[in-house]
Amino acid sequence: EVLLVESGGGLVHPGGSLRLSCATSGFSFSNYGINWVRQAPGKGLEWVSSISSNSRSVFYADSVKGRFIISRDNAKNSLYLQMNSLRDEDTATYYCARWPQEEGGAWGQGTLVTVSS
Amino acid sequence: DVVMTQSPLSLPVTLGQAASISCRSSQSLVYSDGNTYLNWFQQRPGQSPRRLIYKVSNRDSGVPDRFSGSGSGTDFTLKISRVEAEDVGVYYCMQGTHWPRTFGQGTRVEIK
């Protein structure tokens, strides 16, 4: 069974930092690009960032570029999102997700990040 | 950025009846390899999203065959042939052809 489990969310003050993790199992992690998607309370889905299987290609939404850093550790089957200079508008549930070009899409359960003073 | 526009945004449906959701992109979603990377996701109340359809019309494993995707270029459709109670939720299209990836606004399906 493909599993993605996010952790690291919580309450942080504006300007603060947080590091999210996504632990995976049930598939060959090192063969897949993987993504972060967020959902503000009561709102739709917003793509945040993607990283290729070998980490050579990374992409960011304009809303987080220069503040967030995506990374992965294929030896640990894990994905990370370092979030710096957090703003109120970054408050959301953050999901890690894979959507390969073939069968086998999967999402984690999400981790809630609240940015508030 | 490619804008994904879904309609309707709210869709009340009678159990057992068909439902159809439209998704239009502001640019063609045909990639240089000839494939069209258009996905559909379902988010049931209180749950994480899950992918239903990839590359316009391919169902993910475990997705009931009452769900079907169609379309080409900039115009796509998700159809539910006979709506069941478990289909209540919000449906999103997402393009995987261009950077940045973009989602539609979501279509809320509810039972009349």
Side-chain angles (χ1 to χ4, degrees), chain A residues 2-116:
Chain A
V2 172
L3 282 177
L4 299 92
V5 180
E6 303 92 338
S7 60
L11 175 63
V12 61
H13 294 310
S17 297
L18 214 52
R19 189 192 195 213
L20 305 184
S21 299
C22 173
T24 75
S25 61
F27 67 103
S28 298
F29 180 74
S30 60
N31 289 343
Y32 290 88
I34 198 157
N35 315 279
W36 287 102
V37 176
R38 68 185 181 184
Q39 186 170 36
K43 302 297 184 182
L45 301 174
E46 179 190 13
W47 171 79
V48 173
S49 183
S50 298
I51 186 167
S52 62
S53 57
N54 59 11
S55 300
R56 288 180 185 167
S57 297
V58 296
F59 302 89
Y60 299 96
D62 284 347
S63 57
V64 307
K65 200 173 293 182
R67 300 187 299 123
F68 289 11
I69 300 171
I70 190 171
S71 63
R72 64 190 294 160
D73 185 336
N74 285 346
K76 295 183 178 180
N77 296 324
S78 293
L79 173 73
Y80 306 100
L81 187 67
Q82 177 67 43
M83 304 188 297
N84 302 321
S85 303
L86 283 162
R87 305 167 179 167
D88 290 351
E89 56 265 34
D90 295 319
T91 293
T93 296
Y94 286 73
Y95 297 99
C96 61
R98 67 169 209 175
W99 47 69
Q101 296 169 9
E102 68 277 357
E103 195 174 52
W107 291 62
Q109 86 289 349
T111 187
L112 178 62
V113 172
T114 302
V115 184
S116 175

Side-chain angles (χ1 to χ4, degrees), chain A residues 39 100-102 104-105 107-109, chain B residues 43 48-49 51 54-55 60 100:
Chain A
Q39 186 170 36
Q101 296 169 9
E102 68 277 357
W107 291 62
Q109 86 289 349
Chain B
Q43 188 174 30
S48 301
R51 193 174 67 174
Y54 62 96
K55 287 195 291 188
D60 258 291

Side-chain angles (χ1 to χ4, degrees), chain B:
Chain B
D1 297 1
V2 177
V3 177
M4 305 297 288
T5 303
Q6 291 183 227
S7 63
L9 299 184
S10 178
L11 184 56
V13 187
T14 301
L15 287 173
Q17 296 300 303
S20 181
I21 300 170
S22 169
C23 174
R24 289 187 170 143
S25 58
S26 60
Q27 299 176 34
S28 172
L29 299 186
V30 180
Y31 189 57
S32 55
D33 63 3
N35 288 307
T36 300
Y37 296 106
L38 187 282
N39 300 279
W40 287 97
F41 297 91
Q42 174 196 59
Q43 188 174 30
R44 291 171 171 153
Q47 295 187 14
S48 301
R50 71 154 171 161
R51 193 174 67 174
L52 299 175
I53 301 285
Y54 62 96
K55 287 195 291 188
V56 180
S57 59
N58 298 274
R59 275 187 302 274
D60 258 291
S61 56
V63 175
D65 61 7
R66 65 179 180 275
F67 290 94
S68 63
S70 63
S72 63
T74 62
D75 203 346
F76 306 94
T77 302
L78 176 71
K79 290 182 180 174
I80 311 173
S81 59
R82 295 170 306 279
V83 172
E84 298 187 6
E86 66 178 18
D87 300 334
V88 165
V90 182
Y91 292 77
Y92 298 91
C93 59
M94 188 212 81
Q95 63 84 16
T97 297
H98 303 282
W99 297 103
R101 304 310 194 210
T102 45
F103 287 90
Q105 318 97 299
T107 294
R108 185 173 302 276
V109 172
E110 60 183 30
I111 304 301
K112 280 184 188 175

